[in-house]
Amino acid sequence: DFVRQVVKLNGNAFEFASEALKEDPEAVLDAVNEHYATLRFASKDLREDRDFILEAVRWNGFALRFASPEIQNDKEVVLRAIEQRLQHGDSSDLSVLDFAGEDVRNDRDVVLQALEVNARAFRFAPQNLQGDKEVALKAIRQQGSMLELASESLRSDREVVLEAVRRYGSALQFASETLRSDKEVVLQALRGHGHALQFASVDLKADREV
């Protein structure tokens, strides 16, 4: 109980807990419940224990960060971590995909689920999924600036770019040259972000209607 109170004050304190506590699943889960990063001080055996990590990410999805590489590539574990952040109503700048293995990041279903939590997951999607229109739109509808990470073909897609500049006018800078010359696209960008005009084509900057 004393260690739990200390960890509640400062998660790093678990580093100095006894080895017995670091090997105790219940004690470590209590610590993870206070702060996910305490998992890094748990015994190697626990961090490599799939069943234990499944339980840990149920408490805090970001605990995945300190699981073994093999477990970070386990789709079920990663999806459970994402589900926890979704239920938590995540407002963090982090994404569970920050800590997922490469194989899982390449899974379209996982990326789409991660985007339910926040747009940051799009940063960790592979190039082929950054070129997937459904995936890109899901990210862009949350954060227009994600257009920057979309494939070249999507940055030339009028529907995608319109959605991006509707959310964030300055996303116009990431659009193709053709769409930066598209009056409707530029006007949409300017509706809430007058400074976006700097990213329009030279011709439109001289257009009195703009």
Side-chain angles (χ1 to χ4, degrees):
D1 287 343
F2 174 72
V3 171
R4 185 174 185 179
Q5 291 175 18
V6 172
V7 168
K8 194 169 186 177
L9 293 173
N10 189 324
N12 289 327
F14 198 70
E15 179 179 4
F16 305 103
S18 70
E19 293 305 312
L21 281 179
K22 292 177 181 179
E23 295 173 356
D24 184 323
E26 186 176 343
V28 174
L29 285 175
D30 279 346
V32 168
N33 189 39
E34 298 299 342
H35 197 288
Y36 79 89
T38 57
L39 183 61
R40 71 185 185 274
F41 303 123
S43 69
K44 184 172 182 287
D45 286 346
L46 283 182
R47 288 184 283 109
E48 293 178 346
D49 186 317
R50 184 179 185 274
D51 290 337
F52 175 77
I53 297 298
L54 273 169
E55 188 62 27
V57 298
R58 183 178 288 164
W59 288 88
N60 191 315
F62 293 152
L64 181 70
R65 177 177 183 179
F66 301 105
S68 68
E70 182 180 357
I71 293 175
Q72 288 174 338
N73 257 321
D74 187 307
K75 182 174 179 177
E76 182 185 352
V77 175
V78 174
L79 285 174
R80 183 172 292 184
I82 291 169
E83 181 183 2
Q84 189 279 330
R85 299 314 301 172
L86 189 59
Q87 292 173 348
H88 185 264
D90 205 341
S91 59
S92 172
D93 288 335
L94 295 174
S95 167
V96 167
L97 285 195
D98 286 348
F99 314 125
E102 185 177 354
D103 291 346
V104 179
R105 289 184 187 182
N106 286 327
D107 189 302
R108 188 175 187 270
D109 292 338
V110 172
V111 172
L112 283 170
Q113 188 65 23
L115 286 170
E116 291 285 343
V117 182
N118 64 36
R120 182 178 169 83
F122 194 57
R123 294 188 177 278
F124 301 97
Q127 285 189 346
N128 66 304
L129 291 180
Q130 288 179 340
D132 182 308
K133 187 169 181 176
E134 180 185 355
V135 173
L137 279 173
K138 193 160 191 174
I140 286 166
R141 283 174 180 143
Q142 295 182 61
Q143 193 173 324
S145 61
M146 287 295 158
L147 181 64
E148 179 181 9
L149 300 174
S151 66
E152 184 176 353
S153 64
L154 289 182
R155 286 185 276 118
S156 299
D157 185 302
R158 199 165 185 272
E159 179 187 357
V160 172
V161 172
L162 274 170
E163 190 66 41
V165 299
R166 187 176 292 120
R167 305 287 173 178
Y168 176 60
S170 289
L172 183 64
Q173 66 188 294
F174 308 122
S176 67
E177 184 176 350
T178 298
L179 290 177
R180 284 187 280 115
S181 299
D182 184 306
K183 186 177 291 188
E184 182 185 351
V185 171
V186 173
L187 287 173
Q188 180 65 61
L190 292 172
R191 282 194 172 94
H193 305 82
H195 58 277
L197 183 60
Q198 66 185 301
F199 305 119
S201 67
V202 173
D203 288 345
L204 283 186
K205 284 180 182 178
D207 190 315
R208 291 187 177 185
E209 292 184 17
V210 175

